[in-house]
Amino acid sequence: MRTSRWLFALATAVYVAAGLYLAIEPHYILGDSLSRVAAARSVLFSRDPHLAAIGFIFTPLTTVLQLPVVLLSHWWPALTSFNITGVLMSAPFMAGAVVQIRGICADRGAPTWLIWVLTAIFALNPMIVFYAANGMSEAPFVFLLCWTARRLIRWLHTDDVHDLCLAGLALALAYLTRYDALPAAAGVTLFVATVTELRARGPRRFRITDAAMDALLVAAPTGVAFVVWTVTSWLITGEPFQQFTSTYGNLSIVAQSSTGAIHGPLYGLLFSISETILLGPVLPILIPVCLVLSWRRRDPEVLAAGIVFGAVLVFATRNYMTGTTFPFLRFYISAIPLMIVLACQLVPARGTIPARRPGRHRRPRPVITGGRALTPAVFATVLVIATPIVTGALMMSPTLSVQQYALQEIVFPAPDDTSATRSEERRIIASFHTERELARYIDDLGLPDSSVLMDTVYGFAVYTATDRPHTYIIPSDQDFITILNDPAAYGVQYILAVPNSGRGASDAVNVRYPTLYETGAEIATLELEIPNDGDDQPVWRLYRVRSR
């Protein structure tokens, strides 16, 4: 326990330091992370603060967890403008994932040196470090998947109901982090039911009853989370699945973007396989070897990790093949813990896992001498030792690593390189710099509350950077539509507009006034145009509302 605490503290410190550097020095911030910060800020500091302002497009856990720190932004706005609240959320979660990986290896009975080698390879993987440090939902998602896998593996050995219940709880929290947890929950439920039915004794009806009870224990938390979240969304917004039906949802974003899957299912399949191998370069070797060893040893533990992490990878592949998501490397990040866990599974299981209440189907482990475990341990080390370097190198590819390749400009700066790739990397890193300057400009105008109308499709970065959030009228305000229909009547002085194309087509201002960006729509006159330094960011126009 003491070792886990020290490991957690050390990993958290390293990840927080990396995140603060990225946010404060080069200001490298990802939009999805900053948008969650904006949602948390609107809950606490908007003109109409209320919990439902968190939104129902994405599941809420990553935003809710930031609320206590976002509260401090009232005195220190840099916490939100530079995404520091996101960093302070993601770093401890990824540190928790490191602890869980070590726990999986220790539960396996692997040699101490191998436990630390595999833990370090996971913790120092560039993809793991980056997503621990950028405030995205990947960090809590990876932690919860690792927690699920560990408890499921323990349950196969101990048959302890506590392990099964905690696996179900982890899956429910994973669903509240990312929708990708649903296929994992379904796979785990089917796996648990199958295992229980196969190892139970007695008449078939009793075996089926036992299988149904165990499946219910692991599936119930996710089912409750799904129903509560869906019903809440339906009651408040009138739409149970805003992720799919809202103009701000993922399907709409993909349709409005030029980076979705447009090459067909076969390309999507090959691309997804490439992304998986990029993050888990030795998976093509580990998977068949582990399956053979599992069969020979009669050891089902290797299947648990495959079910948990593999279901997420299959789901990501299916989504990209059908054109419902983006070619983002982060969707395949579960390949990294899968690789590490499978490498550990090469070593024969040994030792007894302590359990609070061992079940009647507890599986005794054979006594394995150190010599018999040495060869597979060395083989595992040789296989995975260089994978962080391989992943780090391939993360610099603009084709395979759309959201990460700009790190090359930070890790290997080349100020004299004026190539198109390097210039684009600098523009990616400069994303949201213009929005911060725009927020500062509007703050300096000294406007009264409710003076600036904007949507947060792109305006979330302005909202996180302002020192005066009450100045802005945003979609989470319950009177937003009323004011949007007649800005002058409600004292609005300015409207922030973006081009009515791409994602800007879903901007509520453009939906209500399609020609506002170009002509002012006869309700406003152009005050200022702000060219954008960031990549794939709009040229802003600030319109002054005409008096009635």
Side-chain angles (χ1 to χ4, degrees):
M1 182 64 70
R2 181 178 300 178
T3 301
S4 295
R5 290 173 181 169
W6 279 107
L7 178 61
F8 175 79
L10 177 61
T12 300
V14 171
Y15 294 152
V16 167
L20 292 178
Y21 171 77
L22 288 175
I24 296 173
E25 179 58 29
H27 305 318
Y28 189 20
I29 300 171
L30 296 188
D32 280 356
S33 178
L34 197 60
S35 67
R36 305 300 195 279
V37 177
R41 201 174 198 209
S42 66
V43 169
L44 297 172
F45 297 116
S46 67
R47 297 169 51 256
D48 180 22
H50 56 285
L51 187 58
I54 202 170
F56 293 90
I57 303 298
F58 303 102
T59 44
L61 187 63
T62 53
T63 303
V64 170
L65 291 173
Q66 295 185 52
L67 290 176
V69 183
V70 169
L71 186 63
L72 302 178
S73 68
H74 178 71
W75 298 278
W76 188 18
L79 285 172
T80 57
S81 60
F82 292 104
N83 195 38
I84 294 174
T85 63
V87 173
L88 296 180
M89 178 278 297
S90 62
F93 271 112
M94 197 64 88
V98 173
V99 172
Q100 291 300 321
I101 288 293
R102 180 190 172 276
I104 291 172
C105 296
D107 291 342
R108 184 71 178 175
T112 302
W113 64 268
L114 180 63
I115 294 174
W116 287 108
V117 167
L118 294 179
T119 302
I121 289 172
F122 174 82
L124 299 177
N125 187 291
M127 194 72 174
I128 294 297
V129 175
F130 182 55
Y131 280 92
N134 63 19
M136 297 283 282
S137 61
E138 273 64 31
F141 190 60
V142 168
F143 162 71
L144 292 165
L145 290 181
C146 290
W147 189 20
T148 301
R150 184 184 181 190
R151 287 296 169 176
L152 192 59
I153 291 171
R154 288 173 61 91
W155 173 76
L156 289 171
H157 173 69
T158 66
D159 192 32
D160 188 344
V161 68
H162 296 91
D163 288 324
L164 200 59
C165 290
L166 286 174
L169 176 62
L171 285 168
L173 293 174
Y175 168 73
L176 293 176
T177 303
R178 292 187 63 88
Y179 291 111
D180 307 50
L182 280 180
V188 168
T189 301
L190 181 60
F191 177 72
V192 167
T194 303
V195 170
T196 300
E197 200 276 336
L198 289 176
R199 69 186 182 183
R201 298 291 183 267
R204 179 174 175 79
R205 67 178 182 276
F206 293 140
R207 298 201 307 270
I208 293 176
T209 300
D210 288 347
M213 288 299 296
D214 282 352
L216 181 62
L217 280 175
V218 77
T222 304
V224 171
F226 175 83
V227 170
V228 170
W229 180 246
T230 302
V231 170
T232 303
S233 174
W234 175 63
L235 290 174
I236 293 177
T237 69
E239 296 179 0
F241 304 107
Q242 281 211 328
Q243 175 77 343
F244 308 106
T245 59
S246 171
T247 56
Y248 300 104
N250 190 68
L251 290 181
S252 294
I253 295 173
V254 172
Q256 296 155 6
S257 174
S258 60
T259 58
I262 57 175
H263 301 290
L266 180 59
Y267 175 86
L269 175 62
L270 295 176
F271 181 86
S272 297
I273 293 173
S274 300
E275 300 282 83
T276 302
I277 294 177
L278 188 159
L279 295 175
V282 296
L283 282 176
I285 300 174
L286 281 173
I287 291 174
V289 171
C290 284
L291 288 175
V292 170
L293 290 176
S294 176
W295 177 262
R296 292 180 59 184
R297 297 167 178 166
R298 298 297 187 266
D299 179 8
E301 291 182 11
V302 67
L303 301 178
I307 293 293
V308 175
F309 300 113
V312 176
L313 292 172
V314 170
F315 184 67
T317 301
R318 175 263 174 200
N319 286 347
Y320 190 56
M321 288 177 63
T322 56
T324 58
T325 190
F326 296 94
F328 291 163
L329 183 62
R330 60 188 175 91
F331 294 153
Y332 307 87
I333 195 171
S334 56
I336 299 174
L338 174 61
M339 175 183 66
I340 299 299
V341 173
L342 290 183
C344 181
Q345 298 287 347
L346 293 175
V347 178
R350 57 180 181 174
T352 300
I353 300 176
R356 296 178 65 181
R357 200 201 74 176
R360 64 180 181 273
H361 300 299
R362 182 172 186 170
R363 296 176 65 251
R365 285 174 166 177
V367 177
I368 305 295
T369 61
R372 290 178 61 187
L374 180 61
T375 299
V378 172
F379 180 59
T381 303
V382 171
L383 274 180
V384 302
I385 192 70
T387 55
I389 299 174
V390 174
T391 298
L394 293 176
M395 280 173 64
M396 305 302 174
S397 167
T399 303
L400 296 174
S401 186
V402 176
Q403 290 185 300
Q404 292 78 219
Y405 75 95
L407 285 169
Q408 183 173 218
E409 179 63 23
I410 298 173
V411 179
F412 305 109
D416 297 329
D417 189 343
T418 59
S419 64
T421 300
R422 284 290 189 167
S423 297
E424 189 172 9
E425 290 170 3
R426 296 183 187 109
R427 285 181 57 83
I428 292 173
I429 294 171
S431 294
F432 313 121
H433 171 266
T434 299
E435 284 72 14
R436 287 191 294 271
E437 293 299 319
L438 178 56
R440 186 175 298 112
Y441 172 82
I442 294 175
D443 287 348
D444 290 342
L445 295 177
L447 299 171
D449 292 352
S450 308
S451 296
V452 181
L453 180 71
M454 72 172 181
D455 198 344
T456 50
V457 170
Y458 284 109
F460 64 86
V462 177
Y463 192 71
T464 56
T466 180
D467 294 346
R468 306 177 65 179
H470 284 189
T471 303
Y472 296 86
I473 304 162
I474 57 177
S476 63
D477 298 335
Q478 296 186 46
D479 57 357
F480 177 78
I481 297 298
T482 302
I483 297 175
L484 178 63
N485 283 328
D486 195 351
Y490 291 91
V492 176
Q493 297 186 30
Y494 293 98
I495 298 177
L496 269 175
V498 296
N500 191 6
S501 60
R503 288 196 62 190
S506 64
D507 187 288
V509 174
N510 286 330
V511 172
R512 177 62 180 85
Y513 304 106
T515 62
L516 185 135
Y517 185 81
E518 297 296 337
T519 68
E522 299 183 356
I523 66 165
T525 56
L526 182 62
E527 179 86 1
L528 186 66
E529 181 173 281
I530 308 98
N532 210 307
D533 297 334
D535 180 65
D536 199 28
Q537 293 296 109
V539 175
W540 289 92
R541 287 183 178 177
L542 182 66
Y543 275 91
R544 180 186 291 273
V545 177
R546 293 178 178 176
S547 63
R548 299 189 69 178

